[in-house]
Amino acid sequence: MAQGYVKASELPQVIPVFPLPGSILLARGQLPLNVFEPRYLNMVDDAMAGDRMIGLIQPVGPAGVNPPLTRVGCAGRITSFAETSDGRYLITLTGVCRFVVATEMQVRTPYRQVRADFLPYEADLRAPDPDEAFDREPFLSALAPYLSGRGLDIDWDTARAAPQEALVNSLAMGLPFDPPEKQALLEALTLIDREAALTALLRIEAIAPDDDEPGPAMQ
C-alpha cells in the first residue's frame, strides 16, 4: 500500500537506494530481501529509524563498488523486518511509487542516495480500477509455454482469479528475465503497457533459439 501518500510532492525528495541487478519493484508489489552487506545493514537501520523508504534500482555497466544506475527505480516501504542470529536482515519492501533519478547525492553515508523525481509516475499512488477489458486467456496462453519451457509452474487457479495488476506485476517482478527486459517492464508507463510488453516477452522467449516457429503449446 502507498501508506497514505496521495501526491508525488508528499514523498521524500532524497531516498537511499539499493542497487540490485535483475530485480525490480512495482507499486503495491512485495519483494523479500536478504540484506547482509554492512553498508546496506546501515541503510536499513537508518530507514527503520525514519520513513522506512528505500529505492530499489538496477545498476548498469560493469560491476563495481558504485556502478552507474539506471534512470528509473521504484521506492518501497519496509513492511516487514526480522533479524537473523548471524546478523542478516530479512525485510520485505512494498512498492510505493516509481521515480526518475534527478541526481545522485554526494553523501557521507556508506550507502548511496539520490534525489528522486516521483512526478512522472504519480499515478502509481492510485490503484488502478478493475479492468473488465483484461483479455486474460490470451495472456495466460502466452504464459503457459514460457513456463513449461523453463520447468516452472504457477497456481493456475490463482492466476485466473487474480486482479490484473497483481497478476501482471507479480510476474514482471518474479520471472527470470534479463536486466534490460526487467527494466523495460519497470518503465512501462501504464499497466496496459506493461501487460503488452510482458506478453511480447513471453511469446518471444517461449520460442527456442534455433526455432523459427512457436512450439505446439503456442498454437
Side-chain angles (χ1 to χ4, degrees), residues 30-50:
Q30 293 192 323
L31 183 68
L33 293 170
N34 176 16
V35 183
F36 53 87
E37 284 191 51
R39 58 177 167 168
Y40 296 126
L41 294 172
N42 188 178
M43 178 185 68
V44 171
D45 286 338
D46 290 348
M48 291 294 291

Side-chain angles (χ1 to χ4, degrees), residues 150-171:
R150 285 158 179 75
L152 303 174
D153 199 7
I154 61 171
D155 183 331
W156 289 101
D157 289 338
T158 298
R160 290 186 175 89
Q164 180 186 17
E165 183 188 56
L167 177 62
V168 171
N169 285 359
S170 63
L171 291 170

